[in-house]
Amino acid sequence: MPIFFFLPAYMLFTGTPIFFASAGQYFAWRGIYFLLTLATWYVMQYPISAAKYYKIWIGLSPVFAMATLKALWSREKKPAYQVTRKPGSRKNQNENGIKNWLRQFRAVSLQVGLFVINFTAIFYGIFQKTLTPELLLIASLWSVWVMWSLGGICKAALWPKIWPAETAA
């Protein structure tokens, strides 16, 4: 999935189209694909909004990719088990805010990088006129969709919502 998120930026930076169809044909085929995908997600996730799970899947795609690579690299020997940090653990209480934030940033650095690359690519493509107007429109809209997709996971990791402490009744 991350490669799919890099393609509009590639088009905008290099001026190389990755498909050879008119804008109308592209929107027709992508529109059909998009509607079928939405219908599938709706059926699979009903009654919860499919967009919520879509953003979770997209946000965790680097984690899934790393887990797959780790499993493939360690066919002979099982990888060492690492305990996940718990929110109330003593080690977490001793860390300062910036160190914790940097650890969270490292976790979503791929998503942040793709977000920044796509954001920059839109302006580069517009000002340098790297593509024809209709391809520029398609690639820019694609980049905006990428930023929408990745923005939620970046925001959740870097600026988490602080819930009020529960009090015993």
Side-chain angles (χ1 to χ4, degrees):
M1 194 57 104
I3 292 171
F4 187 73
F5 288 157
F6 183 71
L7 290 177
Y10 174 79
M11 284 176 59
L12 289 164
F13 279 128
T14 64
T16 307
I18 60 167
F19 54 86
F20 298 97
S22 69
Q25 289 173 324
Y26 177 78
F27 282 122
W29 286 108
R30 286 296 292 172
I32 293 168
Y33 170 77
F34 181 68
L35 290 175
L36 290 173
T37 302
L38 282 180
T40 303
W41 288 342
Y42 179 77
V43 169
M44 288 174 42
Q45 307 302 336
Y46 181 80
I48 299 171
S49 169
K52 178 179 180 178
Y53 286 107
Y54 166 76
K55 285 193 168 193
I56 290 171
W57 293 335
I58 295 306
L60 292 175
S61 61
V63 175
F64 298 145
M66 286 306 297
T68 302
L69 290 175
K70 195 174 196 180
L72 291 173
W73 283 331
S74 55
R75 288 182 182 206
E76 303 295 322
K77 185 180 174 194
K78 194 173 178 181
Y81 178 74
Q82 292 181 331
V83 177
T84 306
R85 293 180 177 206
K86 305 296 184 260
S89 71
R90 178 172 281 173
K91 189 169 188 175
N92 281 353
Q93 290 174 349
N94 293 337
E95 289 185 352
N96 60 11
I98 190 70
K99 188 174 181 184
N100 191 29
W101 188 87
L102 287 172
R103 189 177 70 243
Q104 291 169 317
F105 179 78
R106 192 183 81 203
V108 292
S109 59
L110 177 64
Q111 291 93 330
V112 171
L114 286 169
F115 187 98
V116 170
I117 287 170
N118 277 283
F119 183 79
T120 307
I122 292 172
F123 292 103
Y124 181 83
I126 290 170
F127 292 124
Q128 296 296 320
K129 297 181 174 122
T130 56
L131 295 167
T132 63
E134 64 180 12
L135 285 176
L136 185 63
L137 174 67
I138 291 170
S140 296
L141 289 174
W142 191 355
S143 285
V144 168
W145 172 76
V146 167
M147 292 186 297
W148 172 81
S149 297
L150 298 176
I153 195 73
C154 295
K155 181 182 174 192
L158 300 176
W159 297 280
K161 186 171 184 172
I162 309 287
W163 297 96
E166 292 183 19
T167 56

